Amino acid sequence: MKETDNKLTMRNIKPTAMRELVLKVLSEQKSAISLLELEQKFEKADKTTLYRTLKTFEENKLIHSIDDGTGSVKYALCKETCECNPSDLHVHFLCTKCKHTFCLNDIAIPNLTLPANFKLETINMVVKGICANCK
Amino acid sequence: MKETDNKLTMRNIKPTAMRELVLKVLSEQKSAISLLELEQKFEKADKTTLYRTLKTFEENKLIHSIDDGTGSVKYALCKETCECNPSDLHVHFLCTKCKHTFCLNDIAIPNLTLPANFKLETINMVVKGICANCK
DNA sequence: AAAACTTTGCAACTCAGTTGCATAGCTTTT
DNA sequence: AAAAGCTATGCAACTGAGTTGCAAAGTTTT
């Protein structure tokens, strides 16, 4: 059994040819990728299939989605132990020069004291600026 | 000179009837409002005009926009002294029950230590959860 | 091998945001 | 005060990301 298959099976995703390919492409990325960008990595691929593949991956916490404010949602692999709980969350960085969106996996979302009677569920924190490569 | 006119003029926005009305509506909101919601506050108003009015207001820092991840951008008045610099930024809260988006004006975005050679420009931080009214 | 379920692919739609263009309304110049 | 010029407004039509319906292809179960 291939390693990729294993990663899918671990997350209760039936390993099809398409899904293996998508996971492979996602694994190769250094930054988060949009549906459109993913589509362009393939010679011939249907947007709907990729869309639904990403949804399936996200539901099963193999990947997480990032709304970086650019108008297109980006996707990136979760860590193996990730359950997408608040404690698993990290900061994302959008470079305004190269337009890449990075997971700053080592930077946890800082603790916040909300006003009285506000209950926290999750936090989206996107930092914009210039990344190390573009500097 | 009316107070509303004054606020517009202070920000170098020519005070037209439409703009005064829009500013009035925005001032009355307890939470941030989308273009569509704004449109519905008027009997008869053109989306384009409202859209361009909001853009003008935003460019001149009378209001700021909030991408709360719901798919529709929200707008809220800036404080009088706001220049929309990082130090002016605050946390936004999206209630998953009532779907309202609030400016937590008193909660500044926490300081972050970015990886080496990353330069910060701005931060978008949206907390999701249940607000005090819905609890 | 047939029946039942899942995945894939095409087309077509939704919805927020945006642009083009003509008209209406000011402002400035003569 | 009329003409010329600029700004704001309103309608229609478009864009692009995301999404759904449905039928065909592929798997799994009986």
Side-chain angles (χ1 to χ4, degrees):
Chain A
M1 195 195 241
K2 279 192 287 182
E3 181 55 26
T4 311
D5 269 33
N6 197 23
K7 275 188 185 156
L8 291 168
T9 312
M10 293 277 284
R11 292 287 189 175
N12 293 311
I13 303 165
K14 216 184 287 178
T16 66
M18 195 72 235
R19 287 171 180 169
E20 281 169 27
L21 281 173
V22 171
L23 178 51
K24 185 167 170 290
V25 169
L26 287 171
S27 308
E28 288 163 355
Q29 304 309 308
K30 288 194 199 69
S31 57
I33 190 175
S34 70
L35 173 57
L36 184 72
E37 286 163 338
L38 179 63
E39 201 183 352
Q40 289 162 349
K41 302 272 173 194
F42 292 91
E43 278 289 305
K44 175 194 152 296
D46 182 66
K47 197 176 57 145
T48 311
T49 305
L50 296 174
Y51 169 72
R52 287 196 266 235
T53 302
L54 290 173
K55 284 281 168 206
T56 304
F57 284 9
E58 190 181 10
E59 271 162 30
N60 293 283
K61 293 169 186 171
L62 181 60
I63 63 176
H64 59 281
S65 63
I66 306 140
D67 185 339
D68 59 12
T70 57
S72 54
V73 177
K74 306 290 193 312
Y75 300 87
L77 286 182
C78 286
K79 287 193 216 162
E80 245 172 72
T81 57
C82 177
E83 288 302 326
C84 294
N85 297 321
S87 57
D88 290 316
L89 299 173
H90 53 262
V91 172
H92 290 103
F93 187 92
L94 168 63
C95 177
T96 51
K97 210 165 183 178
C98 67
K99 314 291 180 197
H100 283 78
T101 300
F102 303 95
C103 291
L104 302 183
N105 277 305
D106 297 337
I107 305 188
I109 307 262
N111 259 21
L112 281 186
T113 308
L114 294 177
N117 295 317
F118 277 66
K119 203 184 122 204
L120 182 148
E121 282 170 5
T122 184
I123 301 184
N124 181 37
M125 187 167 185
V126 178
V127 179
K128 281 205 226 178
I130 309 285
C131 75
N133 297 328
C134 288
K135 202 167 179 180
Chain B
M1 194 196 243
K2 278 191 288 181
E3 180 55 26
T4 311
D5 270 33
N6 197 25
K7 274 186 185 158
L8 291 169
T9 312
M10 293 278 283
R11 292 287 189 174
N12 293 310
I13 302 164
K14 216 184 287 178
T16 67
M18 195 72 235
R19 288 172 179 170
E20 282 169 27
L21 280 172
V22 171
L23 178 52
K24 185 167 170 291
V25 170
L26 287 171
S27 308
E28 288 163 356
Q29 304 308 309
K30 288 195 199 70
S31 57
I33 190 174
S34 70
L35 173 58
L36 185 72
E37 287 163 338
L38 179 63
E39 201 184 352
Q40 290 163 348
K41 302 273 173 193
F42 292 91
E43 279 290 306
K44 176 196 152 297
D46 182 65
K47 198 177 55 144
T48 310
T49 304
L50 296 174
Y51 168 72
R52 287 197 264 235
T53 302
L54 289 173
K55 284 283 167 203
T56 303
F57 283 10
E58 191 182 8
E59 271 161 30
N60 293 283
K61 292 168 185 170
L62 181 59
I63 63 176
H64 59 279
S65 63
I66 305 141
D67 186 339
D68 59 11
T70 57
S72 54
V73 177
K74 307 290 193 312
Y75 300 87
L77 286 182
C78 286
K79 286 194 217 164
E80 245 171 73
T81 57
C82 178
E83 288 302 325
C84 294
N85 297 319
S87 58
D88 291 316
L89 299 173
H90 53 262
V91 173
H92 290 104
F93 187 91
L94 168 63
C95 179
T96 52
K97 210 165 185 176
C98 67
K99 314 291 181 200
H100 284 78
T101 299
F102 303 95
C103 289
L104 301 183
N105 277 306
D106 297 337
I107 305 188
I109 307 261
N111 259 22
L112 280 187
T113 309
L114 293 178
N117 295 318
F118 277 66
K119 204 183 123 206
L120 183 148
E121 282 170 4
T122 184
I123 301 184
N124 180 38
M125 189 168 185
V126 178
V127 180
K128 280 204 227 179
I130 309 286
C131 75
N133 297 328
C134 289
K135 199 164 183 183

